[in-house]
Amino acid sequence: MANSKLTIKDIAKLAEVSSSTVSRVIDDNPRISDETKKHVSEIINKYGYKPQSAARSLARNRTNSVGIVIPHNDINIYSSSFFHEALKGICSTLAKQGYDVLISAGNPTELDAIKRLVSTSRIDGIILLRSTVNDMNVEYMYDNGFPFILIGTCLEHEDVYCVDNDNFKASFDLTDHIYKCGKKRIALIGGSGDSVFIIKRLNGYHKCLEQHNIPIDSELVKLGQSSEAYGYDTMRELLNNITPPDAVIVMDETTCVGVMKAINDSCLKIPEQVAVACFNEGAFTNYSKPAITTISLDFYELGARAATNLLMLLGGNKVKKGCCFVNYNLSIRESTRANSKVNYNNLKKERDE
Amino acid sequence: MANSKLTIKDIAKLAEVSSSTVSRVIDDNPRISDETKKHVSEIINKYGYKPQSAARSLARNRTNSVGIVIPHNDINIYSSSFFHEALKGICSTLAKQGYDVLISAGNPTELDAIKRLVSTSRIDGIILLRSTVNDMNVEYMYDNGFPFILIGTCLEHEDVYCVDNDNFKASFDLTDHIYKCGKKRIALIGGSGDSVFIIKRLNGYHKCLEQHNIPIDSELVKLGQSSEAYGYDTMRELLNNITPPDAVIVMDETTCVGVMKAINDSCLKIPEQVAVACFNEGAFTNYSKPAITTISLDFYELGARAATNLLMLLGGNKVKKGCCFVNYNLSIRESTRANSKVNYNNLKKERDE
DNA sequence: CTGAAAGCGCTTACAG
DNA sequence: CTGAAAGCGCTTACAG
């Protein structure tokens, strides 16, 4: 790597100027004459010189790096395209401004990883990919005044910079759609009650039922975890009740796999006897039979917006505090279609509308 | 962030030693007395001092960072758990040695991203997550002697450090298993002929057929791309032939979704009329009806091993050149079971064994 | 076993 | 418009 040995002094010598001048040319400093800029730039390009990042960081007291916290033990975050889509949005946006992305992972806890990156001055800011209630990571950065953007929502502090889907409204819309399909006993399955986005969805669901004067039956709400097994067991249990649900909203695709199996094993028809809807679109929701109605979320945009806001923050610009929402989309498919073709003649009972 | 302002000089003053000594205590240099170490360590811990990474990098001419190249526009790499599993394996392993992971993404091409990280001396080494035939990224690092590990195999150079699945043998085993289910016309669908791992699988498939004296019919091999649509169209086409396949090996889960749909739409029974097997295990292969036989690959281990080897390389240790293989697993499920229960009585034709 | 000093490769007030 | 010089916060031969 012959080129990497070249320093600013070498370029200065070759261009017959001082290293101050070379540095300013690289910075496109307006005080340098166009003539000098042109001449020095030619040398720089000819030799492929790039300033060494460590030296730069030390001198400028700025790393031009941003940390990303990868959740530990959160299979759910990887099972949808959330993680890599958000990552791509973040990286693309940051790279355009010459920022690099450091991944915090491998330390015993996420907080350890954050502390290491922060205390060794590796990064200028952080993007958090999710939040829980009373999130220790959020608290740490908030207390220390370290610049960060949360992809998600912070319930504890109003002045945390957040980028999120409007989970409340999305959940409201989805519930409303199902209600309009003629369903009255709508179950909610999957996800952890510790997750802020799940809480938001629960609230949207409640709000919608309230608005339609449907009594809230807490037996129909089964938060707990996200897994195929959980979806299966929980749905079986619900279907065995005296008054089973006539619709179900599932928090993620993996859990939905189990829910669908349970419904099939109970020989119930979708959507006639049980309508099904799910958050996050994917191969399963799109190609299952019937295809499943989803709320599809724009994860790339979530990452890109978070990165944009962080860059503004680091640049000393004003950023709106609190939540900034990204659009979502309600994709209606057969699993909730009121007028879905009925291919079976063994429907046990018809619903009342 | 009061603590982040502390420098080695502050600690030296507080401990009443020189900064050289503080530096050596941090390094656990054997020449420092235990007494001094204990005393200085106490101060360091008390104030939570950590050396600043940029200054360290500059002085040591080493970044303690490793770059990861995230493939652009390769949906397939994200659709399985490969990407995040490998990432976790890499990050965990590197973090234990105090290494950080920089992500190269967002630049117009992967090579641009690599060049930027290398030319600005941001990283000590690189891990590549895949390779193609005549891979420009590999060539660049190879030509420049930049330390890197390839997750995959390099066909062009024997002395590139690689960590890979034994795709040849895995494909051989899978083909052999299907052959032993009594199948003779085994199709191969999906993946790009540019990808080294696909080529390896093709070779393993050919080798197995040869060994069983089955003539190779190139009409049965449909490399091209990975997508649900490609799987569907290609499989439909094959099934419409005069001599359709009686088994199919699919290169990835996404394509397999399409292949399964095509078989179902043709009203053929799995595995009696067409056996199906797939590379990579996931929600679809495990929960589809019937469940699909897979080769499951250990992506975490792939990443971890790559990281371990890179650390050895950077540490000046001898690493075996060429390929180092990680274990895989053949998981036999209903889609290839010779004795699978037949639930249908409308089988159009029975196979000859 | 410990310290003073040089040096890593940049940036940036300061001076002109 | 340009340059000489100090400084960013470490490490590490060198000397003792």
Side-chain angles (χ1 to χ4, degrees), chain A residues 18 20-21 24 31-33 36 58-59:
Chain A
S18 71
S20 320
T21 298
R24 290 186 182 112
R31 290 186 314 181
I32 301 291
S33 74
T36 308
L58 185 59

Side-chain angles (χ1 to χ4, degrees), chain A residues 81-313:
Chain A
S81 60
F82 169 75
F83 176 64
H84 71 259
E85 282 294 328
L87 194 59
K88 278 158 82 175
I90 290 168
C91 291
S92 302
T93 308
L94 292 177
K96 277 177 205 149
Q97 309 285 329
Y99 273 75
D100 282 308
V101 176
L102 266 165
I103 288 194
S104 89
N107 287 77
T109 71
E110 293 168 30
L111 188 53
D112 287 334
I114 294 176
K115 282 182 175 168
R116 192 170 57 84
L117 290 180
V118 170
S119 65
T120 58
S121 307
R122 283 244 167 196
I123 50 176
D124 300 332
I126 282 187
I127 294 176
L128 268 184
L129 293 184
R130 57 127 195 230
S131 62
T132 61
V133 175
N134 292 316
D135 195 299
M136 284 167 54
N137 304 318
V138 171
E139 289 304 319
Y140 174 77
M141 292 183 288
Y142 186 81
D143 289 346
N144 288 286
F146 194 79
F148 76 103
I149 305 281
L150 170 61
I151 296 187
T153 297
C154 178
L155 297 175
E156 292 81 12
H157 309 287
E158 287 191 337
D159 53 343
V160 163
Y161 300 99
C162 300
V163 174
D164 204 355
N165 304 295
D166 193 341
N167 279 295
F168 176 88
K169 192 163 172 306
S171 182
F172 183 99
D173 288 355
L174 188 53
T175 310
D176 194 58
H177 160 68
I178 292 174
Y179 170 80
K180 285 174 178 152
C181 292
K183 305 296 185 179
K184 295 275 158 76
R185 287 188 58 72
I186 306 172
L188 201 68
I189 294 185
S192 155
D194 272 358
S195 298
V196 175
F197 71 94
I198 297 288
I199 294 172
K200 293 268 173 186
R201 290 178 190 174
L202 181 62
N203 293 343
Y205 160 86
H206 279 157
K207 180 78 180 175
C208 180
L209 295 184
E210 225 169 69
Q211 200 159 305
H212 292 305
N213 292 313
I214 297 187
I216 288 171
D217 181 352
S218 62
E219 293 293 313
L220 290 174
V221 175
K222 301 288 183 185
L223 307 186
Q225 54 183 84
S226 286
S227 73
E228 188 263 344
Y230 183 80
Y232 185 82
D233 296 341
T234 310
M235 194 64 196
R236 285 296 284 212
E237 196 189 318
L238 284 174
L239 292 175
N240 285 335
N241 282 351
I242 306 172
T243 49
D246 56 10
V248 55
I249 294 174
V250 193
M251 290 311 190
D252 60 272
E253 211 183 6
T254 307
T255 308
C256 197
V257 172
V259 167
M260 290 290 282
K261 262 184 113 168
I263 298 173
N264 285 330
D265 285 2
S266 300
C267 294
L268 295 168
K269 301 305 161 233
I270 303 170
E272 294 79 0
Q273 293 174 298
V274 189
V276 178
C278 178
F279 279 84
N280 304 353
E281 201 171 292
F284 178 75
T285 58
N286 296 1
Y287 304 122
S288 96
K289 293 188 171 179
I292 299 167
T293 290
T294 58
I295 292 283
S296 72
L297 305 169
D298 191 343
F299 299 135
Y300 182 94
E301 182 62 21
L302 222 43
R305 194 81 69 86
T308 303
N309 286 0
L310 185 54
L311 287 173
M312 290 184 66
L313 209 58

Side-chain angles (χ1 to χ4, degrees), chain B residues 185-187 220 235 237-247 268 273-274 349 351:
Chain B
R185 286 188 58 73
I186 307 172
L220 290 174
M235 193 65 196
E237 195 188 318
L238 284 174
L239 292 174
N240 285 334
N241 282 350
I242 306 172
T243 50
D246 56 10
L268 295 168
Q273 293 175 297
V274 188
K349 42 181 174 176
R351 294 282 150 196

Side-chain angles (χ1 to χ4, degrees), chain B residues 338-349:
Chain B
N339 59 346
S340 178
K341 297 159 240 149
V342 182
N343 295 318
Y344 314 89
N345 50 17
N346 60 345
L347 289 181
K348 299 252 173 62
K349 42 181 174 176

